Amino acid sequence: MLSRRCPLAMLVVMLVNLGIGSWLFYLQGLQSSQARQKAEHIWIRHIDLAPARGNIYSRNLQILATCQLTYSVWADPNAIQNAAKKVWGQQVSKDEIAKRVARTICSLLKDKVVSEKELTKRLSQTIRNRSYGRPILIQFIWAVRQLDESAIANLKRVLETKRGKKIPLEWRILQAGLGISPEMHRIYPYGRLAAATLGFVNLDNVGCYGIERDWDKVLKGKAGSMELEVNALGCPLPSGYISYLPPQPGNSIILTIDEQIQKAAEAVIDEAMKRFQPKSASAIVMEPQTGDILALVSKPDFDPNEYYRFPPERFLNRPLTFVYEPGSTFKPLVAAALLDHGVITEHTVAYCNGTWKTDGFSVRCWVVQKGTAHHGAETISDALIHSCNIAMAQFALKASYRQIYETLIKFGVGRKLGMSAGFEESGWLDPPKEFLAKGAVRHHQATLAFGQSVAVTPMHMAVAYAALANHGKVMKPRIVKGIREEKTGKIQWFEPKDLGFAVSPLTASKICDMLVSVVEDGTGKRAKLEGVKVAGKTGTATKFVNGRYDPTKVVVSFFGFFPAHSPKWVIGIVLDEPAYGKWGGEVAAPLFAALGQQILWRVQPPRPLSLTQDLTALSFFSPVLSD
């Protein structure tokens, strides 16, 4: 009997060994790479390290955005569950473990920086499904992000306490599946100052809106990483393999923004928001010879340090995204086109009788709405001074539409300007359409003469007025002046970009003289500055709502520059649907004067102003005649 059993037993042993050997050969030979990957996924923990973003500076090298060191708490839900079951027993449910651990973590953190309910939910999720359906263990989550050192001091002490018999059981669980990682947190020292221009970054250090978005590749740097070996409980091994790749900080950006002029512009627009209560408001200050943007204001705004508290519509940079029909501020551009093509001269006369009717359409001047006398015979200068719609329409019809179109395109109307300061709208300018009926073209051309049938942004208008101030030469608007390399400290300066002449210097000079008369004798009187000649134009554009122009809804604006014959600053003010005041001369022109005076105070000693000094513009709102 024994002799018969021995060969059988040996055969069974051999078959078992052969099976085990074959399985090991399959795993270690044929499937070695896959098996190693699975094993490494279990015993090696990978942590991404975010780099410090580059700073954003003003033109005066004041820091507008920077980073500070913070600490984030991460957790391994599976390691916590395994350690808790060893300590509290297998009978404790997954949800109960998550609840107890979350309560302990929240008690150790300062000022309840995370919700216990939310943290419980995160810690209880230990498995998720891949896109193709296979489950995967969750071994890394963020428990709480970007806290200062004092907030995590107690938790840090717990995690650094050496394991022993005397430490609380809960601490052993935390040590098995919790860790603290340094992170860089974006801060904006001046709060709301230029918020829509700067934009913000989210918790993952990704630029959102504004400069932060468009220059994200320059600012963000390169992420680092850290890998460490852990035991079955998820605790780092004292002598385990550690790989550390330090993050590389991003480069810094120097803007063209002057923080003091930006502060003054925001103070003026804040006052306008209180006094006139518009839906929104924009302001631009620009240097005509270089295209440098010295100030860019969008209201209502937000605090980029706490962007999550504000609705998304506040994040848009309205000088670049608010599309509107410009109204009378567009008249100088059409006048420049007509003079430059030689279809009219300064002595050509048109006649305004309040309402002008043609075979296919009619045009009304604003004097009808205000109930004042019609303008009568007018030259092109008179038409700008009095802001006469009828005279402008009659002048415009002396040219071909293509002639006007070509000049307006050179001014930058109807296309994106490529500022790289966030989302930007191109507006709209109808190209010449040969297939339209002659009457339709004439009607479109007549309304274009006084700023209807065309869509612009405030930046389009600022660039066009800057061209008039710059002898007809168009400069590409720029918001970034240079890039500072973090490694070398060298600064790469960007040169101003010339886009060519929209009109001749002679034409630009003639329009400049006419715009001075608008401020001295016409609808722009409230834009006057003491001791300085101002050139500018008022605008009151009725909005097109539900298929018709609604006289109760207007966009009021003023664009101009000073000193008129040696311009250094171009200023644009735009208010959308002010609740009080409905004419550009009554609302926007005084705001121009208020901001212009603040700029002069900053460059004319002995009146130095600090960035913290506030402005009240009420003295500029004296009753005068307007458009």
Side-chain angles (χ1 to χ4, degrees), residues 365-377:
C365 191
W366 62 269
V367 294
V368 175
Q369 190 175 352
K370 292 206 74 172
T372 58
H374 57 77
H375 295 125

Side-chain angles (χ1 to χ4, degrees), residues 31-89:
Q31 296 289 322
S32 62
S33 60
Q34 293 90 333
R36 183 173 182 82
Q37 287 178 1
K38 290 181 180 179
E40 287 180 349
H41 187 72
I42 296 173
W43 77 63
I44 293 182
R45 179 175 286 129
H46 179 92
I47 301 174
D48 291 324
L49 302 176
R53 288 177 73 84
N55 292 336
I56 299 178
Y57 296 97
S58 72
R59 71 189 295 117
N60 301 316
L61 299 183
Q62 294 297 308
I63 293 178
L64 302 179
T66 188
C67 287
Q68 68 178 14
L69 181 63
T70 60
Y71 299 89
S72 296
V73 181
W74 56 265
D76 183 337
N78 277 283
I80 288 174
Q81 292 286 336
N82 294 334
K85 288 185 180 295
K86 288 180 180 291
V87 173
W88 291 330

Side-chain angles (χ1 to χ4, degrees), residues 363-549:
V363 176
R364 287 199 314 165
C365 191
W366 62 269
V367 294
V368 175
Q369 190 175 352
K370 292 206 74 172
T372 58
H374 57 77
H375 295 125
E378 297 212 303
T379 63
I380 187 66
S381 179
D382 296 329
L384 294 181
I385 292 171
H386 302 139
S387 200
C388 180
N389 292 348
I390 292 175
M392 285 303 306
Q394 292 177 3
F395 287 135
L397 291 177
K398 293 181 180 295
S400 70
Y401 180 74
R402 184 176 293 277
Q403 287 175 313
I404 299 175
Y405 173 84
E406 289 174 353
T407 301
L408 294 178
I409 284 292
K410 291 177 183 177
F411 273 120
V413 177
R415 56 191 171 99
K416 290 186 178 181
L417 298 168
M419 274 190 57
S420 297
F423 299 102
E424 183 179 350
E425 294 286 355
S426 60
W428 180 255
L429 176 64
D430 281 313
K433 296 178 179 178
E434 305 293 346
F435 58 87
L436 284 180
K438 185 177 180 181
V441 173
R442 285 175 57 80
H443 185 204
H444 179 70
Q445 190 168 330
T447 57
L448 183 68
F450 48 85
Q452 291 183 355
S453 305
V454 60
V456 299
T457 64
M459 185 56 68
H460 283 121
M461 298 303 299
V463 169
Y465 273 72
L468 294 174
N470 193 32
H471 311 293
K473 183 188 290 186
V474 182
M475 302 300 297
K476 181 178 180 179
R478 64 171 185 166
I479 195 80
V480 174
K481 196 176 179 72
I483 296 176
R484 180 183 182 274
E485 295 181 6
E486 187 62 31
K487 289 183 179 179
T488 63
K490 292 182 179 179
I491 298 177
Q492 175 192 355
W493 296 107
F494 298 144
E495 293 295 326
K497 189 172 181 180
D498 173 2
L499 299 180
F501 283 88
V503 292
S504 69
L506 178 60
T507 298
S509 177
K510 291 177 181 178
I511 296 296
C512 175
D513 290 338
M514 295 176 192
L515 294 180
V516 171
S517 298
V518 171
V519 175
E520 293 295 319
D521 307 312
T523 59
K525 290 180 180 178
R526 295 183 186 180
K528 287 182 181 180
L529 290 171
E530 185 179 351
V532 178
K533 289 284 186 182
V534 172
K537 183 71 186 76
T538 56
T540 306
T542 305
K543 297 181 73 171
F544 195 75
V545 181
N546 298 326
R548 67 182 184 89
Y549 283 97

Side-chain angles (χ1 to χ4, degrees), residues 236-452:
L237 298 176
S239 58
Y241 166 80
I242 294 181
S243 170
Y244 176 70
L245 179 64
Q248 299 180 20
N251 294 328
S252 296
I253 283 177
I254 302 171
L255 302 185
T256 61
I257 294 291
D258 184 309
E259 73 281 358
Q260 292 197 6
I261 294 179
Q262 179 74 31
K263 174 71 175 180
E266 295 204 7
V268 169
I269 298 302
D270 282 335
E271 185 67 31
M273 294 294 287
K274 294 176 185 176
R275 184 178 181 88
F276 302 114
Q277 298 179 20
K279 289 176 62 176
S280 65
S282 303
I284 300 169
V285 182
M286 188 174 179
E287 199 174 67
Q289 291 78 18
T290 61
D292 284 1
I293 304 300
L294 304 179
L296 207 57
V297 180
S298 177
K299 299 287 182 176
D301 59 2
F302 67 100
D303 186 346
N305 293 303
E306 299 180 310
Y307 64 89
Y308 45 84
R309 298 182 183 273
F310 298 87
E313 57 267 21
R314 293 202 178 189
F315 303 154
L316 293 175
N317 200 354
R318 289 178 185 82
L320 306 181
T321 60
F322 177 57
V323 179
Y324 70 108
E325 289 185 311
S328 295
T329 55
F330 203 70
K331 291 172 181 174
L333 309 188
V334 176
L338 299 175
L339 289 171
D340 206 55
H341 282 284
V343 296
I344 65 169
T345 69
E346 303 96 301
H347 307 295
T348 305
V349 175
Y351 190 81
C352 169
N353 60 358
T355 302
W356 177 51
K357 295 183 179 180
T358 70
D359 294 339
F361 60 91
S362 62
V363 176
R364 287 199 314 165
C365 191
W366 62 269
V367 294
V368 175
Q369 190 175 352
K370 292 206 74 172
T372 58
H374 57 77
H375 295 125
E378 297 212 303
T379 63
I380 187 66
S381 179
D382 296 329
L384 294 181
I385 292 171
H386 302 139
S387 200
C388 180
N389 292 348
I390 292 175
M392 285 303 306
Q394 292 177 3
F395 287 135
L397 291 177
K398 293 181 180 295
S400 70
Y401 180 74
R402 184 176 293 277
Q403 287 175 313
I404 299 175
Y405 173 84
E406 289 174 353
T407 301
L408 294 178
I409 284 292
K410 291 177 183 177
F411 273 120
V413 177
R415 56 191 171 99
K416 290 186 178 181
L417 298 168
M419 274 190 57
S420 297
F423 299 102
E424 183 179 350
E425 294 286 355
S426 60
W428 180 255
L429 176 64
D430 281 313
K433 296 178 179 178
E434 305 293 346
F435 58 87
L436 284 180
K438 185 177 180 181
V441 173
R442 285 175 57 80
H443 185 204
H444 179 70
Q445 190 168 330
T447 57
L448 183 68
F450 48 85
Q452 291 183 355

Side-chain angles (χ1 to χ4, degrees), residues 52-286:
R53 288 177 73 84
N55 292 336
I56 299 178
Y57 296 97
S58 72
R59 71 189 295 117
N60 301 316
L61 299 183
Q62 294 297 308
I63 293 178
L64 302 179
T66 188
C67 287
Q68 68 178 14
L69 181 63
T70 60
Y71 299 89
S72 296
V73 181
W74 56 265
D76 183 337
N78 277 283
I80 288 174
Q81 292 286 336
N82 294 334
K85 288 185 180 295
K86 288 180 180 291
V87 173
W88 291 330
Q90 296 293 328
Q91 73 281 2
V92 183
S93 69
K94 182 172 67 173
D95 291 340
E96 180 62 24
I97 291 173
K99 186 176 181 180
R100 291 186 189 180
V101 173
R103 186 184 304 121
T104 303
I105 294 173
C106 289
S107 67
L108 291 170
L109 295 174
K110 184 181 178 183
D111 298 332
K112 294 184 179 181
V113 291
V114 64
S115 163
E116 185 177 322
K117 182 179 179 181
E118 176 62 27
L119 186 54
T120 299
K121 181 180 178 181
R122 291 186 218 165
L123 294 175
S124 63
Q125 296 173 349
T126 58
I127 297 176
R128 65 178 173 85
N129 290 328
R130 294 181 185 267
S131 58
Y132 48 81
R134 293 183 60 184
I136 182 174
L137 296 178
I138 298 176
Q139 293 185 294
F140 182 91
I141 64 163
W142 287 114
V144 61
R145 302 287 295 276
Q146 299 180 354
L147 305 178
D148 59 37
E149 193 169 7
S150 63
I152 53 98
N154 292 332
L155 181 60
K156 185 178 181 182
R157 178 173 53 84
V158 168
L159 298 182
E160 291 177 350
T161 302
K162 293 184 178 180
R163 296 173 67 89
K165 294 182 180 180
K166 295 183 179 180
I167 69 170
L169 298 179
E170 290 85 355
W171 289 20
R172 296 185 182 182
I173 298 171
L174 296 183
Q175 290 176 347
L178 223 61
I180 297 174
S181 176
E183 272 200 299
M184 301 307 296
H185 173 60
R186 196 65 156 171
I187 60 170
Y188 302 86
Y190 292 118
R192 293 175 179 246
L193 190 76
T197 301
L198 297 176
F200 58 88
V201 299
N202 61 18
L203 281 175
D204 294 319
N205 216 29
V206 177
C208 303
Y209 294 88
I211 296 293
E212 296 279 25
R213 171 184 174 271
D214 280 14
W215 295 82
D216 188 60
K217 290 183 179 180
V218 174
L219 291 165
K220 71 180 180 180
K222 293 184 179 179
S225 63
M226 181 171 63
E227 292 182 342
L228 60 156
E229 290 181 307
V230 296
N231 60 20
L233 294 177
C235 299
L237 298 176
S239 58
Y241 166 80
I242 294 181
S243 170
Y244 176 70
L245 179 64
Q248 299 180 20
N251 294 328
S252 296
I253 283 177
I254 302 171
L255 302 185
T256 61
I257 294 291
D258 184 309
E259 73 281 358
Q260 292 197 6
I261 294 179
Q262 179 74 31
K263 174 71 175 180
E266 295 204 7
V268 169
I269 298 302
D270 282 335
E271 185 67 31
M273 294 294 287
K274 294 176 185 176
R275 184 178 181 88
F276 302 114
Q277 298 179 20
K279 289 176 62 176
S280 65
S282 303
I284 300 169
V285 182
M286 188 174 179

